[in-house]
mmCIF file of all heavy atoms in Angstrom:
data_model
loop_
_atom_site.group_PDB
_atom_site.id
_atom_site.type_symbol
_atom_site.label_atom_id
_atom_site.label_comp_id
_atom_site.label_asym_id
_atom_site.label_seq_id
_atom_site.Cartn_x
_atom_site.Cartn_y
_atom_site.Cartn_z
ATOM 1 N N LEU K 37 -8.819 54.104 -34.355
ATOM 2 C CA LEU K 37 -9.212 55.176 -35.269
ATOM 3 C C LEU K 37 -8.476 55.092 -36.603
ATOM 4 O O LEU K 37 -8.673 55.928 -37.478
ATOM 5 C CB LEU K 37 -8.931 56.544 -34.633
ATOM 6 C CG LEU K 37 -9.696 56.863 -33.356
ATOM 7 C CD1 LEU K 37 -9.201 58.170 -32.746
ATOM 8 C CD2 LEU K 37 -11.188 56.937 -33.645
ATOM 9 N N GLY K 38 -7.593 54.105 -36.727
ATOM 10 C CA GLY K 38 -6.809 53.968 -37.946
ATOM 11 C C GLY K 38 -5.571 54.838 -37.970
ATOM 12 O O GLY K 38 -4.923 54.968 -38.999
ATOM 13 N N GLU K 39 -5.215 55.449 -36.827
ATOM 14 C CA GLU K 39 -4.031 56.306 -36.737
ATOM 15 C C GLU K 39 -2.836 55.465 -36.302
ATOM 16 O O GLU K 39 -2.965 54.559 -35.490
ATOM 17 C CB GLU K 39 -4.256 57.401 -35.697
ATOM 18 C CG GLU K 39 -5.458 58.269 -35.960
ATOM 19 C CD GLU K 39 -5.839 59.115 -34.755
ATOM 20 O OE1 GLU K 39 -5.588 58.694 -33.605
ATOM 21 O OE2 GLU K 39 -6.401 60.193 -34.974
ATOM 22 N N THR K 40 -1.676 55.780 -36.846
ATOM 23 C CA THR K 40 -0.445 55.125 -36.418
ATOM 24 C C THR K 40 0.106 55.904 -35.233
ATOM 25 O O THR K 40 0.375 57.099 -35.347
ATOM 26 C CB THR K 40 0.574 55.082 -37.566
ATOM 27 O OG1 THR K 40 -0.013 54.388 -38.665
ATOM 28 C CG2 THR K 40 1.835 54.363 -37.141
ATOM 29 N N VAL K 41 0.246 55.230 -34.090
ATOM 30 C CA VAL K 41 0.648 55.893 -32.845
ATOM 31 C C VAL K 41 1.756 55.101 -32.158
ATOM 32 O O VAL K 41 1.929 53.908 -32.421
ATOM 33 C CB VAL K 41 -0.564 56.061 -31.888
ATOM 34 C CG1 VAL K 41 -1.608 56.976 -32.481
ATOM 35 C CG2 VAL K 41 -1.176 54.714 -31.560
ATOM 36 N N PRO K 42 2.528 55.753 -31.270
ATOM 37 C CA PRO K 42 3.549 55.038 -30.503
ATOM 38 C C PRO K 42 2.908 53.922 -29.665
ATOM 39 O O PRO K 42 1.841 54.091 -29.092
ATOM 40 C CB PRO K 42 4.153 56.112 -29.605
ATOM 41 C CG PRO K 42 3.873 57.399 -30.320
ATOM 42 C CD PRO K 42 2.548 57.189 -30.986
ATOM 43 N N ALA K 43 3.589 52.778 -29.592
ATOM 44 C CA ALA K 43 2.977 51.591 -28.991
ATOM 45 C C ALA K 43 3.360 51.332 -27.539
ATOM 46 O O ALA K 43 2.547 50.800 -26.781
ATOM 47 C CB ALA K 43 3.343 50.367 -29.827
ATOM 48 N N LEU K 44 4.562 51.676 -27.116
ATOM 49 C CA LEU K 44 5.082 51.193 -25.833
ATOM 50 C C LEU K 44 4.178 51.525 -24.650
ATOM 51 O O LEU K 44 3.748 50.626 -23.916
ATOM 52 C CB LEU K 44 6.496 51.734 -25.590
ATOM 53 C CG LEU K 44 7.197 51.221 -24.334
ATOM 54 C CD1 LEU K 44 7.314 49.706 -24.355
ATOM 55 C CD2 LEU K 44 8.563 51.863 -24.195
ATOM 56 N N ALA K 45 3.880 52.777 -24.431
ATOM 57 C CA ALA K 45 3.051 53.162 -23.282
ATOM 58 C C ALA K 45 1.659 52.547 -23.372
ATOM 59 O O ALA K 45 1.102 52.104 -22.372
ATOM 60 C CB ALA K 45 2.960 54.678 -23.180
ATOM 61 N N HIS K 46 1.115 52.486 -24.560
ATOM 62 C CA HIS K 46 -0.234 51.943 -24.738
ATOM 63 C C HIS K 46 -0.274 50.447 -24.405
ATOM 64 O O HIS K 46 -1.225 49.971 -23.795
ATOM 65 C CB HIS K 46 -0.725 52.191 -26.164
ATOM 66 C CG HIS K 46 -0.838 53.647 -26.486
ATOM 67 N ND1 HIS K 46 -1.945 54.393 -26.152
ATOM 68 C CD2 HIS K 46 0.031 54.494 -27.073
ATOM 69 C CE1 HIS K 46 -1.751 55.645 -26.540
ATOM 70 N NE2 HIS K 46 -0.560 55.732 -27.100
ATOM 71 N N PHE K 47 0.759 49.711 -24.791
ATOM 72 C CA PHE K 47 0.813 48.283 -24.482
ATOM 73 C C PHE K 47 0.931 48.059 -22.975
ATOM 74 O O PHE K 47 0.296 47.159 -22.428
ATOM 75 C CB PHE K 47 1.988 47.618 -25.208
ATOM 76 C CG PHE K 47 1.691 47.230 -26.626
ATOM 77 C CD1 PHE K 47 1.137 48.135 -27.521
ATOM 78 C CD2 PHE K 47 1.978 45.956 -27.079
ATOM 79 C CE1 PHE K 47 0.861 47.784 -28.824
ATOM 80 C CE2 PHE K 47 1.700 45.584 -28.388
ATOM 81 C CZ PHE K 47 1.143 46.504 -29.266
ATOM 82 N N ILE K 48 1.729 48.871 -22.299
ATOM 83 C CA ILE K 48 1.894 48.723 -20.847
ATOM 84 C C ILE K 48 0.597 49.074 -20.122
ATOM 85 O O ILE K 48 0.159 48.353 -19.232
ATOM 86 C CB ILE K 48 3.070 49.586 -20.342
ATOM 87 C CG1 ILE K 48 4.385 49.051 -20.921
ATOM 88 C CG2 ILE K 48 3.118 49.602 -18.817
ATOM 89 C CD1 ILE K 48 5.574 49.956 -20.703
ATOM 90 N N VAL K 49 -0.032 50.165 -20.514
ATOM 91 C CA VAL K 49 -1.293 50.568 -19.881
ATOM 92 C C VAL K 49 -2.371 49.508 -20.119
ATOM 93 O O VAL K 49 -3.160 49.192 -19.226
ATOM 94 C CB VAL K 49 -1.741 51.959 -20.390
ATOM 95 C CG1 VAL K 49 -3.161 52.271 -19.960
ATOM 96 C CG2 VAL K 49 -0.783 53.021 -19.874
ATOM 97 N N ALA K 50 -2.399 48.933 -21.302
ATOM 98 C CA ALA K 50 -3.396 47.898 -21.603
ATOM 99 C C ALA K 50 -3.192 46.650 -20.748
ATOM 100 O O ALA K 50 -4.137 45.899 -20.517
ATOM 101 C CB ALA K 50 -3.341 47.536 -23.083
ATOM 102 N N ASP K 51 -1.978 46.442 -20.253
ATOM 103 C CA ASP K 51 -1.680 45.295 -19.395
ATOM 104 C C ASP K 51 -1.889 45.593 -17.913
ATOM 105 O O ASP K 51 -1.541 44.777 -17.069
ATOM 106 C CB ASP K 51 -0.223 44.857 -19.583
ATOM 107 C CG ASP K 51 -0.069 43.851 -20.693
ATOM 108 O OD1 ASP K 51 -1.088 43.384 -21.223
ATOM 109 O OD2 ASP K 51 1.076 43.521 -21.025
ATOM 110 N N THR K 52 -2.391 46.760 -17.592
ATOM 111 C CA THR K 52 -2.554 47.180 -16.206
ATOM 112 C C THR K 52 -4.046 47.313 -15.895
ATOM 113 O O THR K 52 -4.806 47.858 -16.686
ATOM 114 C CB THR K 52 -1.852 48.537 -15.982
ATOM 115 O OG1 THR K 52 -0.505 48.431 -16.454
ATOM 116 C CG2 THR K 52 -1.825 48.917 -14.521
ATOM 117 N N THR K 53 -4.446 46.813 -14.727
ATOM 118 C CA THR K 53 -5.850 46.918 -14.341
ATOM 119 C C THR K 53 -6.162 48.341 -13.889
ATOM 120 O O THR K 53 -5.263 49.161 -13.689
ATOM 121 C CB THR K 53 -6.185 45.943 -13.199
ATOM 122 O OG1 THR K 53 -5.470 46.341 -12.023
ATOM 123 C CG2 THR K 53 -5.833 44.519 -13.558
ATOM 124 N N GLU K 54 -7.430 48.624 -13.661
ATOM 125 C CA GLU K 54 -7.839 49.961 -13.212
ATOM 126 C C GLU K 54 -7.278 50.295 -11.832
ATOM 127 O O GLU K 54 -7.129 51.455 -11.480
ATOM 128 C CB GLU K 54 -9.360 50.062 -13.201
ATOM 129 C CG GLU K 54 -9.960 50.062 -14.586
ATOM 130 C CD GLU K 54 -11.476 50.125 -14.558
ATOM 131 O OE1 GLU K 54 -12.062 50.317 -13.485
ATOM 132 O OE2 GLU K 54 -12.066 49.989 -15.639
ATOM 133 N N THR K 55 -6.964 49.255 -11.037
ATOM 134 C CA THR K 55 -6.419 49.488 -9.701
ATOM 135 C C THR K 55 -4.896 49.568 -9.715
ATOM 136 O O THR K 55 -4.276 49.667 -8.671
ATOM 137 C CB THR K 55 -6.869 48.380 -8.732
ATOM 138 O OG1 THR K 55 -6.417 47.114 -9.228
ATOM 139 C CG2 THR K 55 -8.373 48.373 -8.574
ATOM 140 N N GLY K 56 -4.272 49.518 -10.915
ATOM 141 C CA GLY K 56 -2.828 49.666 -11.026
ATOM 142 C C GLY K 56 -2.046 48.382 -10.873
ATOM 143 O O GLY K 56 -0.829 48.400 -10.725
ATOM 144 N N GLU K 57 -2.705 47.232 -10.932
ATOM 145 C CA GLU K 57 -2.016 45.946 -10.817
ATOM 146 C C GLU K 57 -1.770 45.370 -12.201
ATOM 147 O O GLU K 57 -2.459 45.698 -13.159
ATOM 148 C CB GLU K 57 -2.865 44.978 -9.989
ATOM 149 C CG GLU K 57 -3.090 45.462 -8.574
ATOM 150 C CD GLU K 57 -4.177 44.662 -7.870
ATOM 151 O OE1 GLU K 57 -4.852 43.851 -8.522
ATOM 152 O OE2 GLU K 57 -4.348 44.867 -6.673
ATOM 153 N N ARG K 58 -0.788 44.494 -12.280
ATOM 154 C CA ARG K 58 -0.476 43.838 -13.543
ATOM 155 C C ARG K 58 -1.470 42.728 -13.822
ATOM 156 O O ARG K 58 -1.814 41.968 -12.947
ATOM 157 C CB ARG K 58 0.919 43.227 -13.492
ATOM 158 C CG ARG K 58 2.040 44.206 -13.255
ATOM 159 C CD ARG K 58 2.193 45.222 -14.367
ATOM 160 N NE ARG K 58 2.266 44.651 -15.675
ATOM 161 C CZ ARG K 58 3.375 44.255 -16.255
ATOM 162 N NH1 ARG K 58 4.510 44.354 -15.652
ATOM 163 N NH2 ARG K 58 3.351 43.752 -17.468
ATOM 164 N N LYS K 59 -1.923 42.622 -15.058
ATOM 165 C CA LYS K 59 -2.764 41.492 -15.449
ATOM 166 C C LYS K 59 -1.941 40.215 -15.466
ATOM 167 O O LYS K 59 -2.426 39.156 -15.114
ATOM 168 C CB LYS K 59 -3.394 41.743 -16.818
ATOM 169 C CG LYS K 59 -4.413 42.865 -16.796
ATOM 170 C CD LYS K 59 -4.989 43.104 -18.165
ATOM 171 C CE LYS K 59 -5.959 44.277 -18.134
ATOM 172 N NZ LYS K 59 -6.435 44.614 -19.479
ATOM 173 N N ASN K 60 -0.693 40.321 -15.874
ATOM 174 C CA ASN K 60 0.237 39.195 -15.833
ATOM 175 C C ASN K 60 1.543 39.719 -15.245
ATOM 176 O O ASN K 60 2.312 40.386 -15.932
ATOM 177 C CB ASN K 60 0.477 38.615 -17.224
ATOM 178 C CG ASN K 60 1.445 37.450 -17.198
ATOM 179 O OD1 ASN K 60 2.064 37.156 -16.190
ATOM 180 N ND2 ASN K 60 1.588 36.784 -18.319
#
Side-chain angles (χ1 to χ4, degrees):
L37 297 173
E39 302 166 331
T40 302
V41 296
L44 184 58
H46 297 276
F47 277 50
I48 294 170
V49 169
D51 271 352
T52 308
T53 66
E54 290 178 8
T55 59
E57 298 167 352
R58 299 296 309 272
K59 292 179 183 175
N60 180 351

